[in-house]
Amino acid sequence: MGLKLGVLGIDHGHIFGMLAGMKAQGAVCAQYWTDGPAVTEAKFNEVFPEVARVADRRAILDADVDMVLISAVPADRAALAIEAMEAGKDVMVDKPGCTTLEQLEAVQACVERTGRIWSVNFSERFEVRSAVKASELVAAGAVGRVIQVVTLAPHKQNLKTRPDWYFQRERYGGILTDIGSHQVDQFLHFTGSTEVSVAHAMVENTTMPEHPGFQDFGEMTLVGDRGHGYLRLDWFTPDGLPTWGDGRLFILGTEGTIECRKYTDIGQPHRTDNLYLVNGTRNEYIDCRDVELPYFRLLTEDVKARSYTACPQEHTFRTMQIAITAQMKAEGK
């Protein structure tokens, strides 16, 4: 029998992939709540007409629901997750799962107290087939021991569709906390590092002085006990690209390299999920469009079995701790 879901917050478009991914595993969702108007709401109602809006989120928290999906404004996600876990629900939250170290500590304490699952959907790995294939290849030893991970995460600004909170530093958490958490997740996953220091971090606003809280460029350099990383984020993707960003993942190993051109391949007919592998015996392009995405299936099984096969809980905590620490370092805090 499928899981019963509820939704708290639809402020970010990632809610579409989150809910669709769980529904594909047989989950059902009857209700959603969101705090005030959301730019996604008209489309959400069109895509998920069977999900009715409720005026009070207690209607969801008090209902017979297994898991709550949260895609509220980033600064509000931790408090909503804690409410849900205290009500006996497991949680899948959009990244970033929290925006401050204090929020993270409160979430960690709640997980320990309640035994609930707090899963942050790092969609740039969980919902990208080429990244999943890269995981399989690395696990099989195709590139030897991973030495370095480089991620490039350019985004289109799409200013006409952005709500006010998108420009407010305290609401979205800063560029390294927000979209940078995707990149930290990949660095930790592919290197296997558990002890990490932030060697360098910077952020800046180069294009919008009228929005002093906005950050359109950020970078961090990480030194782990099992590998190194350089992670770059920006909002400079030009309109000529046929998708929202040209995300790249580069994995350097002792015996080979992998490059994932996740969302397109510049100069070629538009095609997603491209992987390039070079090692001692192989020099090839791999089309990953048919690779299974296991996250939603594994998370469904985890909720039922009380396990952590989709993503270890400590990995999720560590990812947010590093991303927030890098953001603070970049801002001199």
Side-chain angles (χ1 to χ4, degrees), residues 29-43:
C29 183
Q31 296 178 320
Y32 78 96
W33 169 88
T34 198
D35 186 15
V39 296
T40 60
E41 191 156 22
K43 182 180 178 181

Side-chain angles (χ1 to χ4, degrees), residues 12 70-82 93-97 165:
H12 196 289
I70 299 173
S71 191
V73 175
D76 299 336
R77 292 173 187 171
L80 290 171
I82 290 169
V93 60
D94 186 15
K95 65 78 216 165
W165 61 261

Side-chain angles (χ1 to χ4, degrees), residues 249-261:
L249 166 65
F250 301 86
I251 300 170
L252 172 65
T254 55
E255 299 175 25
T257 62
I258 291 172
E259 179 186 352
C260 294
R261 303 179 188 179

Side-chain angles (χ1 to χ4, degrees), residues 49-60:
E50 75 283 4
V51 186
R53 181 170 181 171
V54 296
D56 185 347
R57 64 180 179 271
R58 292 303 321 179
I60 294 172

Side-chain angles (χ1 to χ4, degrees), residues 65-69 84-85 88-92 115-118 302-304 306:
V65 167
D66 301 300
M67 171 172 277
V68 169
L69 311 185
M85 289 188 286
K89 324 299 183 188
D90 292 315
V91 168
M92 181 208 296
R116 295 291 101 190
I117 294 170
W118 183 69
D302 287 339
V303 171
K304 296 176 179 179
R306 311 315 301 162

Side-chain angles (χ1 to χ4, degrees), residues 20 40 51 65 68 75 83 108 115 189 206 246 254 273 324:
T40 60
V51 186
V65 167
V68 169
E83 271 193 317
Q108 289 175 297
H189 173 72
T206 61
D246 180 25
T254 55
D273 292 298
I324 294 168

